[in-house]
Amino acid sequence: MIIYFSGTGNCLAISRHLADRLGDRVVSLGEAVNLDLSQEKRVGFVYPCYWFNAPNAVKELLPRLQLPRKAYTFIVVPCGAQAGNAIWWAKKVLADKGLRLDYSQKIRVPDNSAVGFGRNPNDQMWKFGKYAPRLERIIEEVKAERHCLHYAWWGPVGALCAMPAVQRSTLPMLTPAVNAEKCIGCGICANVCPQGNIVVADGKARCGEHCTQCLACVHFCPQQAVEFGRKPTPKEHQYHHPQVSLAEIMRDAGK
Ligand SMILES: Cc1cc2nc3c(=O)[nH]c(=O)nc-3n(C[C@H](O)[C@H](O)[C@H](O)COP(=O)(O)O)c2cc1C
């Protein structure tokens, strides 16, 4: 089974590709917490890196999974550049449960957070040319049940980003916000939010306090009304994996 978390489709597309080639099935992390996984022979996790670490939604849900004792376990982290502590963190969570991580690898893909720094994630489409061969290698290694961990420990940087005080002070600046002048209240942002963190009231969307920063709302808003990093969102900077549709992200978010 391949268990994924995805905001703009990179992790979903890679999970589907892995599952296709490995003859596995794909399940979202939100669904997986309600499943008994104890009989699975192989469990793979695919999730992004946010700020040198695993997304908060993954940190909340992954420890709650009922995982098998003896399965072959692997992690793939599709990220903009480096996976930070995202793999190291999960290895530790699994070890705390008495489980072993057998294989891990990162893959470089377009960085969906670039929009918050005024950069266009679509300028990084060249990364797809490199990810195909890397994914192929991962498939071969996982098929062969190789025991090989590729990960780094971004000690001080990763630990700093994960500190509650740092998160509290930076999150408001780095959390998507709705520009009420542009918002038409269509509700797409609410429908793609995996956290149920956006509500539409009186014809305008509003973000709550439980954002996990997946940026699906920023990238799928048809009015470019959801902004990140206090920067406007140009239409041409809106990104999602080319093989993943809005309908799939909505279904993924349980809508
Ligand atoms: C809030 C945020 C923080 C991010 N931080 C990092 C990071 O520290 N390192 C990195 O390489 N990529 C980073 N990224 C890029 C994502 O890991 C990457 O685009 C990922 O593939 C997105 O997956 P998805 O399309 O399945 O949502 C970040 C993205 C977001 C939204």
Side-chain angles (χ1 to χ4, degrees), residues 111-144:
D111 184 337
N112 59 356
S113 70
V115 63
F117 302 96
R119 287 187 280 118
N120 186 349
N122 295 293
D123 288 346
Q124 303 171 31
M125 299 302 268
W126 57 267
K127 290 180 182 171
F128 284 126
K130 297 198 169 178
Y131 107 30
R134 193 172 179 91
L135 199 50
E136 206 49 42
R137 206 175 76 214
I138 291 173
I139 290 164
E140 292 313 317
E141 292 183 333
V142 169
K143 261 188 192 164

PDB file of all heavy atoms in Angstrom, residues 111-144:
ATOM      1  N   ASP A 111       8.911  23.346  -6.838  1.00  0.00           N
ATOM      2  CA  ASP A 111       8.664  23.777  -5.455  1.00  0.00           C
ATOM      3  C   ASP A 111       7.422  24.674  -5.433  1.00  0.00           C
ATOM      4  O   ASP A 111       7.466  25.813  -5.894  1.00  0.00           O
ATOM      5  CB  ASP A 111       9.896  24.538  -4.953  1.00  0.00           C
ATOM      6  CG  ASP A 111       9.782  24.951  -3.498  1.00  0.00           C
ATOM      7  OD1 ASP A 111       8.632  25.044  -3.000  1.00  0.00           O
ATOM      8  OD2 ASP A 111      10.813  25.193  -2.868  1.00  0.00           O
ATOM      9  N   ASN A 112       6.337  24.134  -4.897  1.00  0.00           N
ATOM     10  CA  ASN A 112       5.074  24.883  -4.928  1.00  0.00           C
ATOM     11  C   ASN A 112       5.075  26.091  -3.991  1.00  0.00           C
ATOM     12  O   ASN A 112       4.201  26.943  -4.075  1.00  0.00           O
ATOM     13  CB  ASN A 112       3.873  23.957  -4.651  1.00  0.00           C
ATOM     14  CG  ASN A 112       3.970  23.266  -3.301  1.00  0.00           C
ATOM     15  OD1 ASN A 112       4.961  23.410  -2.586  1.00  0.00           O
ATOM     16  ND2 ASN A 112       2.942  22.515  -2.956  1.00  0.00           N
ATOM     17  N   SER A 113       6.082  26.182  -3.093  1.00  0.00           N
ATOM     18  CA  SER A 113       6.119  27.337  -2.186  1.00  0.00           C
ATOM     19  C   SER A 113       6.810  28.542  -2.826  1.00  0.00           C
ATOM     20  O   SER A 113       6.796  29.631  -2.262  1.00  0.00           O
ATOM     21  CB  SER A 113       6.836  26.978  -0.875  1.00  0.00           C
ATOM     22  OG  SER A 113       8.221  26.793  -1.100  1.00  0.00           O
ATOM     23  N   ALA A 114       7.420  28.339  -4.014  1.00  0.00           N
ATOM     24  CA  ALA A 114       8.159  29.425  -4.668  1.00  0.00           C
ATOM     25  C   ALA A 114       7.263  30.648  -4.871  1.00  0.00           C
ATOM     26  O   ALA A 114       7.721  31.790  -4.807  1.00  0.00           O
ATOM     27  CB  ALA A 114       8.709  28.942  -6.009  1.00  0.00           C
ATOM     28  N   VAL A 115       5.966  30.409  -5.065  1.00  0.00           N
ATOM     29  CA  VAL A 115       5.007  31.497  -5.293  1.00  0.00           C
ATOM     30  C   VAL A 115       5.038  32.514  -4.136  1.00  0.00           C
ATOM     31  O   VAL A 115       4.869  33.712  -4.340  1.00  0.00           O
ATOM     32  CB  VAL A 115       3.581  30.918  -5.535  1.00  0.00           C
ATOM     33  CG1 VAL A 115       3.060  30.167  -4.320  1.00  0.00           C
ATOM     34  CG2 VAL A 115       2.583  31.984  -5.943  1.00  0.00           C
ATOM     35  N   GLY A 116       5.307  32.044  -2.929  1.00  0.00           N
ATOM     36  CA  GLY A 116       5.342  32.923  -1.758  1.00  0.00           C
ATOM     37  C   GLY A 116       6.581  33.795  -1.713  1.00  0.00           C
ATOM     38  O   GLY A 116       6.667  34.732  -0.930  1.00  0.00           O
ATOM     39  N   PHE A 117       7.549  33.443  -2.565  1.00  0.00           N
ATOM     40  CA  PHE A 117       8.778  34.243  -2.615  1.00  0.00           C
ATOM     41  C   PHE A 117       8.832  35.029  -3.924  1.00  0.00           C
ATOM     42  O   PHE A 117       9.893  35.496  -4.340  1.00  0.00           O
ATOM     43  CB  PHE A 117      10.007  33.328  -2.477  1.00  0.00           C
ATOM     44  CG  PHE A 117       9.983  32.532  -1.201  1.00  0.00           C
ATOM     45  CD1 PHE A 117       9.500  31.233  -1.182  1.00  0.00           C
ATOM     46  CD2 PHE A 117      10.398  33.105  -0.010  1.00  0.00           C
ATOM     47  CE1 PHE A 117       9.450  30.497   0.003  1.00  0.00           C
ATOM     48  CE2 PHE A 117      10.349  32.385   1.183  1.00  0.00           C
ATOM     49  CZ  PHE A 117       9.874  31.086   1.192  1.00  0.00           C
ATOM     50  N   GLY A 118       7.662  35.126  -4.587  1.00  0.00           N
ATOM     51  CA  GLY A 118       7.585  35.887  -5.827  1.00  0.00           C
ATOM     52  C   GLY A 118       8.214  35.166  -7.008  1.00  0.00           C
ATOM     53  O   GLY A 118       8.505  35.778  -8.035  1.00  0.00           O
ATOM     54  N   ARG A 119       8.423  33.853  -6.856  1.00  0.00           N
ATOM     55  CA  ARG A 119       9.016  33.090  -7.964  1.00  0.00           C
ATOM     56  C   ARG A 119       7.980  32.147  -8.563  1.00  0.00           C
ATOM     57  O   ARG A 119       7.014  31.770  -7.894  1.00  0.00           O
ATOM     58  CB  ARG A 119      10.228  32.289  -7.472  1.00  0.00           C
ATOM     59  CG  ARG A 119      11.424  33.168  -7.191  1.00  0.00           C
ATOM     60  CD  ARG A 119      12.661  32.363  -6.875  1.00  0.00           C
ATOM     61  NE  ARG A 119      12.669  31.899  -5.499  1.00  0.00           N
ATOM     62  CZ  ARG A 119      12.667  30.617  -5.128  1.00  0.00           C
ATOM     63  NH1 ARG A 119      12.629  29.665  -6.033  1.00  0.00           N
ATOM     64  NH2 ARG A 119      12.691  30.287  -3.863  1.00  0.00           N
ATOM     65  N   ASN A 120       8.191  31.780  -9.811  1.00  0.00           N
ATOM     66  CA  ASN A 120       7.217  30.955 -10.515  1.00  0.00           C
ATOM     67  C   ASN A 120       7.599  29.469 -10.424  1.00  0.00           C
ATOM     68  O   ASN A 120       8.601  29.055 -10.999  1.00  0.00           O
ATOM     69  CB  ASN A 120       7.183  31.395 -11.985  1.00  0.00           C
ATOM     70  CG  ASN A 120       6.091  30.684 -12.758  1.00  0.00           C
ATOM     71  OD1 ASN A 120       5.492  29.720 -12.265  1.00  0.00           O
ATOM     72  ND2 ASN A 120       5.825  31.155 -13.965  1.00  0.00           N
ATOM     73  N   PRO A 121       6.785  28.654  -9.702  1.00  0.00           N
ATOM     74  CA  PRO A 121       7.113  27.219  -9.606  1.00  0.00           C
ATOM     75  C   PRO A 121       7.170  26.550 -10.978  1.00  0.00           C
ATOM     76  O   PRO A 121       7.897  25.578 -11.163  1.00  0.00           O
ATOM     77  CB  PRO A 121       5.963  26.626  -8.780  1.00  0.00           C
ATOM     78  CG  PRO A 121       5.271  27.774  -8.148  1.00  0.00           C
ATOM     79  CD  PRO A 121       5.546  28.993  -8.994  1.00  0.00           C
ATOM     80  N   ASN A 122       6.430  27.091 -11.946  1.00  0.00           N
ATOM     81  CA  ASN A 122       6.399  26.472 -13.278  1.00  0.00           C
ATOM     82  C   ASN A 122       7.730  26.616 -14.017  1.00  0.00           C
ATOM     83  O   ASN A 122       7.982  25.920 -14.994  1.00  0.00           O
ATOM     84  CB  ASN A 122       5.257  27.068 -14.104  1.00  0.00           C
ATOM     85  CG  ASN A 122       3.922  26.716 -13.487  1.00  0.00           C
ATOM     86  OD1 ASN A 122       3.531  25.551 -13.460  1.00  0.00           O
ATOM     87  ND2 ASN A 122       3.238  27.712 -12.949  1.00  0.00           N
ATOM     88  N   ASP A 123       8.581  27.541 -13.537  1.00  0.00           N
ATOM     89  CA  ASP A 123       9.913  27.661 -14.134  1.00  0.00           C
ATOM     90  C   ASP A 123      10.776  26.450 -13.802  1.00  0.00           C
ATOM     91  O   ASP A 123      11.883  26.328 -14.304  1.00  0.00           O
ATOM     92  CB  ASP A 123      10.634  28.925 -13.611  1.00  0.00           C
ATOM     93  CG  ASP A 123      10.034  30.189 -14.200  1.00  0.00           C
ATOM     94  OD1 ASP A 123       9.274  30.075 -15.180  1.00  0.00           O
ATOM     95  OD2 ASP A 123      10.300  31.282 -13.649  1.00  0.00           O
ATOM     96  N   GLN A 124      10.292  25.611 -12.901  1.00  0.00           N
ATOM     97  CA  GLN A 124      11.111  24.463 -12.479  1.00  0.00           C
ATOM     98  C   GLN A 124      10.645  23.149 -13.127  1.00  0.00           C
ATOM     99  O   GLN A 124      10.977  22.060 -12.641  1.00  0.00           O
ATOM    100  CB  GLN A 124      11.048  24.301 -10.956  1.00  0.00           C
ATOM    101  CG  GLN A 124      11.481  25.549 -10.201  1.00  0.00           C
ATOM    102  CD  GLN A 124      11.206  25.418  -8.706  1.00  0.00           C
ATOM    103  OE1 GLN A 124      11.240  24.338  -8.141  1.00  0.00           O
ATOM    104  NE2 GLN A 124      10.913  26.537  -8.076  1.00  0.00           N
ATOM    105  N   MET A 125       9.891  23.277 -14.221  1.00  0.00           N
ATOM    106  CA  MET A 125       9.364  22.057 -14.849  1.00  0.00           C
ATOM    107  C   MET A 125      10.493  21.150 -15.367  1.00  0.00           C
ATOM    108  O   MET A 125      10.304  19.956 -15.561  1.00  0.00           O
ATOM    109  CB  MET A 125       8.412  22.396 -16.002  1.00  0.00           C
ATOM    110  CG  MET A 125       7.189  23.196 -15.591  1.00  0.00           C
ATOM    111  SD  MET A 125       6.191  22.389 -14.328  1.00  0.00           S
ATOM    112  CE  MET A 125       5.033  21.494 -15.329  1.00  0.00           C
ATOM    113  N   TRP A 126      11.685  21.726 -15.578  1.00  0.00           N
ATOM    114  CA  TRP A 126      12.832  20.919 -16.025  1.00  0.00           C
ATOM    115  C   TRP A 126      13.130  19.774 -15.050  1.00  0.00           C
ATOM    116  O   TRP A 126      13.724  18.765 -15.435  1.00  0.00           O
ATOM    117  CB  TRP A 126      14.078  21.796 -16.199  1.00  0.00           C
ATOM    118  CG  TRP A 126      14.473  22.553 -14.964  1.00  0.00           C
ATOM    119  CD1 TRP A 126      14.092  23.827 -14.647  1.00  0.00           C
ATOM    120  CD2 TRP A 126      15.272  22.096 -13.869  1.00  0.00           C
ATOM    121  NE1 TRP A 126      14.611  24.201 -13.424  1.00  0.00           N
ATOM    122  CE2 TRP A 126      15.347  23.163 -12.926  1.00  0.00           C
ATOM    123  CE3 TRP A 126      15.949  20.918 -13.583  1.00  0.00           C
ATOM    124  CZ2 TRP A 126      16.052  23.056 -11.723  1.00  0.00           C
ATOM    125  CZ3 TRP A 126      16.656  20.811 -12.385  1.00  0.00           C
ATOM    126  CH2 TRP A 126      16.703  21.883 -11.477  1.00  0.00           C
ATOM    127  N   LYS A 127      12.694  19.941 -13.792  1.00  0.00           N
ATOM    128  CA  LYS A 127      13.003  18.889 -12.811  1.00  0.00           C
ATOM    129  C   LYS A 127      12.325  17.562 -13.178  1.00  0.00           C
ATOM    130  O   LYS A 127      12.802  16.498 -12.797  1.00  0.00           O
ATOM    131  CB  LYS A 127      12.564  19.320 -11.401  1.00  0.00           C
ATOM    132  CG  LYS A 127      13.429  20.439 -10.830  1.00  0.00           C
ATOM    133  CD  LYS A 127      12.955  20.831  -9.450  1.00  0.00           C
ATOM    134  CE  LYS A 127      13.764  21.976  -8.886  1.00  0.00           C
ATOM    135  NZ  LYS A 127      13.198  22.524  -7.655  1.00  0.00           N
ATOM    136  N   PHE A 128      11.209  17.657 -13.914  1.00  0.00           N
ATOM    137  CA  PHE A 128      10.520  16.416 -14.292  1.00  0.00           C
ATOM    138  C   PHE A 128      11.400  15.524 -15.167  1.00  0.00           C
ATOM    139  O   PHE A 128      11.320  14.304 -15.088  1.00  0.00           O
ATOM    140  CB  PHE A 128       9.204  16.707 -15.011  1.00  0.00           C
ATOM    141  CG  PHE A 128       8.117  17.157 -14.065  1.00  0.00           C
ATOM    142  CD1 PHE A 128       7.429  18.336 -14.274  1.00  0.00           C
ATOM    143  CD2 PHE A 128       7.792  16.399 -12.953  1.00  0.00           C
ATOM    144  CE1 PHE A 128       6.438  18.748 -13.394  1.00  0.00           C
ATOM    145  CE2 PHE A 128       6.806  16.800 -12.065  1.00  0.00           C
ATOM    146  CZ  PHE A 128       6.133  17.982 -12.300  1.00  0.00           C
ATOM    147  N   GLY A 129      12.244  16.134 -16.005  1.00  0.00           N
ATOM    148  CA  GLY A 129      13.148  15.370 -16.871  1.00  0.00           C
ATOM    149  C   GLY A 129      14.096  14.522 -16.048  1.00  0.00           C
ATOM    150  O   GLY A 129      14.513  13.444 -16.467  1.00  0.00           O
ATOM    151  N   LYS A 130      14.450  15.048 -14.868  1.00  0.00           N
ATOM    152  CA  LYS A 130      15.415  14.306 -14.041  1.00  0.00           C
ATOM    153  C   LYS A 130      14.709  13.316 -13.125  1.00  0.00           C
ATOM    154  O   LYS A 130      15.300  12.334 -12.694  1.00  0.00           O
ATOM    155  CB  LYS A 130      16.212  15.286 -13.194  1.00  0.00           C
ATOM    156  CG  LYS A 130      17.037  16.235 -14.038  1.00  0.00           C
ATOM    157  CD  LYS A 130      18.120  16.870 -13.224  1.00  0.00           C
ATOM    158  CE  LYS A 130      19.085  17.584 -14.159  1.00  0.00           C
ATOM    159  NZ  LYS A 130      20.145  18.275 -13.470  1.00  0.00           N
ATOM    160  N   TYR A 131      13.435  13.620 -12.789  1.00  0.00           N
ATOM    161  CA  TYR A 131      12.804  12.753 -11.799  1.00  0.00           C
ATOM    162  C   TYR A 131      12.397  11.400 -12.357  1.00  0.00           C
ATOM    163  O   TYR A 131      12.425  10.405 -11.662  1.00  0.00           O
ATOM    164  CB  TYR A 131      11.735  13.489 -10.999  1.00  0.00           C
ATOM    165  CG  TYR A 131      10.252  13.246 -11.202  1.00  0.00           C
ATOM    166  CD1 TYR A 131       9.700  12.042 -11.610  1.00  0.00           C
ATOM    167  CD2 TYR A 131       9.364  14.274 -10.879  1.00  0.00           C
ATOM    168  CE1 TYR A 131       8.330  11.869 -11.726  1.00  0.00           C
ATOM    169  CE2 TYR A 131       7.998  14.111 -10.989  1.00  0.00           C
ATOM    170  CZ  TYR A 131       7.498  12.910 -11.421  1.00  0.00           C
ATOM    171  OH  TYR A 131       6.151  12.754 -11.528  1.00  0.00           O
ATOM    172  N   ALA A 132      12.122  11.359 -13.686  1.00  0.00           N
ATOM    173  CA  ALA A 132      11.688  10.075 -14.253  1.00  0.00           C
ATOM    174  C   ALA A 132      12.743   8.979 -14.041  1.00  0.00           C
ATOM    175  O   ALA A 132      12.422   7.911 -13.503  1.00  0.00           O
ATOM    176  CB  ALA A 132      11.326  10.246 -15.724  1.00  0.00           C
ATOM    177  N   PRO A 133      14.015   9.216 -14.412  1.00  0.00           N
ATOM    178  CA  PRO A 133      15.019   8.158 -14.183  1.00  0.00           C
ATOM    179  C   PRO A 133      15.213   7.845 -12.695  1.00  0.00           C
ATOM    180  O   PRO A 133      15.433   6.681 -12.324  1.00  0.00           O
ATOM    181  CB  PRO A 133      16.310   8.726 -14.764  1.00  0.00           C
ATOM    182  CG  PRO A 133      15.991  10.034 -15.369  1.00  0.00           C
ATOM    183  CD  PRO A 133      14.563  10.360 -15.148  1.00  0.00           C
ATOM    184  N   ARG A 134      15.110   8.869 -11.855  1.00  0.00           N
ATOM    185  CA  ARG A 134      15.301   8.635 -10.410  1.00  0.00           C
ATOM    186  C   ARG A 134      14.172   7.754  -9.867  1.00  0.00           C
ATOM    187  O   ARG A 134      14.374   6.843  -9.083  1.00  0.00           O
ATOM    188  CB  ARG A 134      15.318   9.984  -9.698  1.00  0.00           C
ATOM    189  CG  ARG A 134      15.814   9.888  -8.262  1.00  0.00           C
ATOM    190  CD  ARG A 134      15.977  11.281  -7.702  1.00  0.00           C
ATOM    191  NE  ARG A 134      16.428  11.286  -6.330  1.00  0.00           N
ATOM    192  CZ  ARG A 134      17.686  11.332  -5.966  1.00  0.00           C
ATOM    193  NH1 ARG A 134      18.637  11.353  -6.867  1.00  0.00           N
ATOM    194  NH2 ARG A 134      18.001  11.368  -4.685  1.00  0.00           N
ATOM    195  N   LEU A 135      12.948   8.059 -10.334  1.00  0.00           N
ATOM    196  CA  LEU A 135      11.794   7.273  -9.896  1.00  0.00           C
ATOM    197  C   LEU A 135      11.948   5.817 -10.343  1.00  0.00           C
ATOM    198  O   LEU A 135      11.629   4.884  -9.600  1.00  0.00           O
ATOM    199  CB  LEU A 135      10.519   7.903 -10.490  1.00  0.00           C
ATOM    200  CG  LEU A 135       9.198   7.548  -9.852  1.00  0.00           C
ATOM    201  CD1 LEU A 135       9.229   7.729  -8.351  1.00  0.00           C
ATOM    202  CD2 LEU A 135       8.075   8.405 -10.443  1.00  0.00           C
ATOM    203  N   GLU A 136      12.462   5.667 -11.551  1.00  0.00           N
ATOM    204  CA  GLU A 136      12.690   4.316 -12.088  1.00  0.00           C
ATOM    205  C   GLU A 136      13.624   3.531 -11.165  1.00  0.00           C
ATOM    206  O   GLU A 136      13.380   2.363 -10.851  1.00  0.00           O
ATOM    207  CB  GLU A 136      13.315   4.477 -13.486  1.00  0.00           C
ATOM    208  CG  GLU A 136      13.081   3.341 -14.423  1.00  0.00           C
ATOM    209  CD  GLU A 136      11.619   2.919 -14.482  1.00  0.00           C
ATOM    210  OE1 GLU A 136      10.683   3.758 -14.508  1.00  0.00           O
ATOM    211  OE2 GLU A 136      11.414   1.698 -14.449  1.00  0.00           O
ATOM    212  N   ARG A 137      14.698   4.226 -10.716  1.00  0.00           N
ATOM    213  CA  ARG A 137      15.661   3.555  -9.837  1.00  0.00           C
ATOM    214  C   ARG A 137      15.008   3.177  -8.503  1.00  0.00           C
ATOM    215  O   ARG A 137      15.211   2.094  -7.976  1.00  0.00           O
ATOM    216  CB  ARG A 137      16.866   4.462  -9.600  1.00  0.00           C
ATOM    217  CG  ARG A 137      18.108   3.649  -9.271  1.00  0.00           C
ATOM    218  CD  ARG A 137      19.333   4.497  -9.162  1.00  0.00           C
ATOM    219  NE  ARG A 137      19.334   5.228  -7.898  1.00  0.00           N
ATOM    220  CZ  ARG A 137      19.841   6.447  -7.741  1.00  0.00           C
ATOM    221  NH1 ARG A 137      20.338   7.079  -8.770  1.00  0.00           N
ATOM    222  NH2 ARG A 137      19.832   7.028  -6.564  1.00  0.00           N
ATOM    223  N   ILE A 138      14.184   4.098  -8.004  1.00  0.00           N
ATOM    224  CA  ILE A 138      13.489   3.825  -6.731  1.00  0.00           C
ATOM    225  C   ILE A 138      12.607   2.581  -6.883  1.00  0.00           C
ATOM    226  O   ILE A 138      12.594   1.697  -6.029  1.00  0.00           O
ATOM    227  CB  ILE A 138      12.657   5.048  -6.296  1.00  0.00           C
ATOM    228  CG1 ILE A 138      13.602   6.189  -5.883  1.00  0.00           C
ATOM    229  CG2 ILE A 138      11.701   4.700  -5.154  1.00  0.00           C
ATOM    230  CD1 ILE A 138      12.920   7.507  -5.595  1.00  0.00           C
ATOM    231  N   ILE A 139      11.873   2.520  -8.010  1.00  0.00           N
ATOM    232  CA  ILE A 139      10.968   1.379  -8.240  1.00  0.00           C
ATOM    233  C   ILE A 139      11.760   0.068  -8.221  1.00  0.00           C
ATOM    234  O   ILE A 139      11.373  -0.898  -7.559  1.00  0.00           O
ATOM    235  CB  ILE A 139      10.202   1.566  -9.572  1.00  0.00           C
ATOM    236  CG1 ILE A 139       9.198   2.713  -9.424  1.00  0.00           C
ATOM    237  CG2 ILE A 139       9.500   0.276  -9.999  1.00  0.00           C
ATOM    238  CD1 ILE A 139       8.663   3.250 -10.731  1.00  0.00           C
ATOM    239  N   GLU A 140      12.891   0.075  -8.933  1.00  0.00           N
ATOM    240  CA  GLU A 140      13.712  -1.148  -8.984  1.00  0.00           C
ATOM    241  C   GLU A 140      14.208  -1.521  -7.592  1.00  0.00           C
ATOM    242  O   GLU A 140      14.197  -2.693  -7.206  1.00  0.00           O
ATOM    243  CB  GLU A 140      14.894  -0.988  -9.957  1.00  0.00           C
ATOM    244  CG  GLU A 140      14.481  -0.896 -11.424  1.00  0.00           C
ATOM    245  CD  GLU A 140      13.466  -1.960 -11.821  1.00  0.00           C
ATOM    246  OE1 GLU A 140      13.629  -3.134 -11.427  1.00  0.00           O
ATOM    247  OE2 GLU A 140      12.472  -1.613 -12.512  1.00  0.00           O
ATOM    248  N   GLU A 141      14.638  -0.509  -6.834  1.00  0.00           N
ATOM    249  CA  GLU A 141      15.199  -0.795  -5.509  1.00  0.00           C
ATOM    250  C   GLU A 141      14.119  -1.277  -4.535  1.00  0.00           C
ATOM    251  O   GLU A 141      14.352  -2.176  -3.734  1.00  0.00           O
ATOM    252  CB  GLU A 141      15.938   0.442  -4.976  1.00  0.00           C
ATOM    253  CG  GLU A 141      17.191   0.707  -5.814  1.00  0.00           C
ATOM    254  CD  GLU A 141      18.043   1.871  -5.337  1.00  0.00           C
ATOM    255  OE1 GLU A 141      17.512   2.816  -4.712  1.00  0.00           O
ATOM    256  OE2 GLU A 141      19.247   1.847  -5.618  1.00  0.00           O
ATOM    257  N   VAL A 142      12.941  -0.678  -4.637  1.00  0.00           N
ATOM    258  CA  VAL A 142      11.846  -1.103  -3.745  1.00  0.00           C
ATOM    259  C   VAL A 142      11.379  -2.513  -4.138  1.00  0.00           C
ATOM    260  O   VAL A 142      11.138  -3.356  -3.273  1.00  0.00           O
ATOM    261  CB  VAL A 142      10.678  -0.084  -3.774  1.00  0.00           C
ATOM    262  CG1 VAL A 142       9.449  -0.641  -3.064  1.00  0.00           C
ATOM    263  CG2 VAL A 142      11.102   1.232  -3.122  1.00  0.00           C
ATOM    264  N   LYS A 143      11.283  -2.756  -5.458  1.00  0.00           N
ATOM    265  CA  LYS A 143      10.889  -4.103  -5.920  1.00  0.00           C
ATOM    266  C   LYS A 143      11.833  -5.151  -5.361  1.00  0.00           C
ATOM    267  O   LYS A 143      11.427  -6.244  -4.963  1.00  0.00           O
ATOM    268  CB  LYS A 143      10.964  -4.154  -7.456  1.00  0.00           C
ATOM    269  CG  LYS A 143       9.640  -3.982  -8.149  1.00  0.00           C
ATOM    270  CD  LYS A 143       9.845  -4.264  -9.615  1.00  0.00           C
ATOM    271  CE  LYS A 143       8.645  -3.831 -10.407  1.00  0.00           C
ATOM    272  NZ  LYS A 143       8.960  -3.736 -11.832  1.00  0.00           N
ATOM    273  N   ALA A 144      13.121  -4.809  -5.341  1.00  0.00           N
ATOM    274  CA  ALA A 144      14.132  -5.756  -4.852  1.00  0.00           C
ATOM    275  C   ALA A 144      14.209  -5.768  -3.324  1.00  0.00           C
ATOM    276  O   ALA A 144      15.057  -6.457  -2.762  1.00  0.00           O
ATOM    277  CB  ALA A 144      15.493  -5.401  -5.447  1.00  0.00           C
TER     278      ALA A 144
END
